Amino acid sequence: MANSAGSKKRARQAIKHRAHNGSLRSMVRTYLKKVDAAIEAGNKEEAQTAYVVATSKLDKAADKGLYHKNKAARHKSRLSAKIKALA
């Protein structure tokens, strides 16, 4: 357990950051699921609009360090390929 005042503060901050990061990750996953749902339904227009929103959220999460930039790029690439395959 933390002993010094500084390490106690870092432990408190880590708890807050973990909760906040978990919330943001959950939000990004929700937007990705919306794109997948539209793809499964075969609705290309809805999938494209959901894709635009999801890529924005994913890029912002990657900028904040929640996801590695390559992981974000991999998600975007795979979703884009699925949407193009709907044509």
Side-chain angles (χ1 to χ4, degrees):
M1 185 57 200
N3 289 323
S4 68
S7 58
K8 287 179 183 178
K9 181 177 179 179
R10 289 303 292 173
R12 288 195 309 269
Q13 288 175 332
I15 293 168
K16 285 184 184 178
H17 291 151
R18 183 170 181 268
H20 186 253
N21 290 341
S23 172
L24 293 178
R25 280 183 188 268
S26 175
M27 180 185 67
V28 171
R29 281 195 301 265
T30 300
Y31 281 103
L32 293 176
K33 286 178 193 172
K34 287 181 183 179
V35 179
D36 278 329
I39 291 170
E40 289 296 320
N43 191 341
K44 187 172 182 177
E45 294 80 19
E46 186 180 326
Q48 284 177 329
T49 56
Y51 174 77
V52 170
V53 176
T55 54
S56 173
K57 299 288 184 185
L58 194 57
D59 285 336
K60 286 179 183 177
D63 287 341
K64 292 176 183 176
L66 290 173
Y67 292 105
H68 194 277
K69 63 182 179 66
N70 289 358
K71 178 173 179 153
R74 185 171 66 242
H75 275 293
K76 292 190 304 186
S77 175
R78 288 177 181 169
L79 287 175
S80 177
K82 286 180 184 179
I83 291 171
K84 285 182 182 176
L86 285 177

